[in-house]
Amino acid sequence: MAVATATVDGRKAPRADQPAELIAESVTVRFGGLVALEDVTFSVREGEIVGLIGPNGAGKTTLLNVLTGFIPTSGGAVKLSGVDVSSWSPERLVRHHVARTFQGARLFGRLTVRENIEVGAVGQGTSMRVARERSAELIGTYRLGDYAERLASELPAGVRRRLGIARALASEPKLILMDEPAAGLNEAERSELVHLVSQVRESSGSGIGIVEHSMPVIMELCDRIQVLDEGRTIAKGTPTEVRQDAQVRAAYLGGEAK
């Protein structure tokens, strides 16, 4: 089947009217003599939530960095709706509706909540007028009104996570990659996060790839899960299939997988 593409500035690009799919295709990443990823294939499509789990050092964040243009591959390719985007910058991927949230939120601490969201919109190439409109809408949707004029550095952890997601959504992504959004949250805040991520999919239709250590969060949210260990895929499937995998249970889930 032919790949649907368009031309932007004389270069091939995914067509904006086609459902988006981001794929790491047989990706290998080496840092000197260290192999961080070896022949890993991973994908996320619009409308689904895919979990990526594994122990520290398994290569999860490295894979997210490859998918979002922050580090290059040593082998294999990254494709967006069939177009090879392995050499694209993070900024170019954002303009083609691929967004990223970072572990610890990585907000602009000296900007207000409103300004942080506006920056997310401007990064996608919008005017300031549109950025302000999107910011106002997202502040209302994600219950940030009480914090709108506060500096991001002053926010509680749970509110920082909401802001990080709202800022990503300001670029109107079709696909969002999230790196440990529940890190440092208490049980109530994790429950709120699960509701928030589900709401993102329901309201925007975005596909979400999520790296997370909290197994309750992963098991409740995800349509399918992929497990990495030492840079290789050792299991993939539905939450039930992964939960029942003996190697996965022994290595990663333990008592949390009940």
Side-chain angles (χ1 to χ4, degrees), residues 27-100:
V27 161
T28 295
V29 174
R30 298 184 184 92
F31 300 111
L34 172 67
V35 179
L37 293 172
E38 185 171 358
D39 194 27
V40 172
T41 295
F42 174 86
S43 67
V44 57
R45 298 181 297 272
E46 271 190 84
E48 69 173 352
I49 302 179
V50 184
L52 188 64
I53 66 172
N56 290 331
K60 305 180 299 297
T61 296
T62 298
L63 182 55
L64 256 61
N65 285 335
V66 167
L67 285 164
T68 52
F70 285 90
I71 61 174
T73 67
S74 304
V78 177
K79 295 183 178 180
L80 177 59
S81 303
V83 175
D84 192 325
V85 297
S86 304
S87 63
W88 285 22
S89 67
E91 295 78 16
R92 190 176 177 194
L93 285 165
V94 167
R95 291 195 296 272
H96 288 275
H97 308 287
V98 177
R100 165 79 183 273

Side-chain angles (χ1 to χ4, degrees), residues 100-236:
R100 165 79 183 273
T101 70
F102 293 87
Q103 189 176 355
R106 287 200 192 178
L107 302 170
F108 297 106
R110 295 185 178 181
L111 298 183
T112 66
V113 166
R114 186 183 308 280
E115 290 167 338
N116 264 274
I117 300 174
E118 289 173 358
V119 166
V122 169
Q124 203 247 343
T126 67
S127 67
M128 277 306 302
R129 179 185 63 78
V130 172
R132 292 189 187 100
E133 291 172 355
R134 286 187 193 171
S135 180
E137 181 179 354
L138 288 163
I139 284 170
T141 299
Y142 293 102
R143 296 180 290 108
L144 292 165
D146 291 343
Y147 304 94
E149 306 307 326
R150 286 180 60 177
L151 297 180
S153 59
E154 300 173 351
L155 301 175
V159 178
R160 287 174 62 86
R161 295 301 191 282
R162 291 212 308 271
L163 174 55
I165 292 171
R167 187 177 67 180
L169 288 170
S171 65
E172 296 192 328
K174 294 182 178 182
L175 301 166
I176 308 173
L177 286 302
M178 298 183 179
D179 193 1
E180 296 194 33
L185 302 185
N186 60 36
E187 185 175 351
E189 290 169 334
R190 285 197 300 269
S191 178
E192 180 183 36
L193 177 76
V194 168
H195 174 74
L196 173 60
V197 174
S198 297
Q199 181 184 0
V200 168
R201 172 167 62 175
E202 291 168 6
S203 62
S204 70
S206 299
I208 300 168
I210 181 169
V211 168
E212 186 51 64
H213 281 291
S214 172
M215 290 303 104
V217 168
I218 285 288
M219 291 296 170
E220 185 170 352
L221 274 176
C222 295
D223 302 307
R224 54 189 179 89
I225 299 169
Q226 185 160 331
V227 189
L228 296 183
D229 186 20
E230 297 183 347
R232 298 183 179 184
T233 298
I234 63 166
K236 59 174 65 176

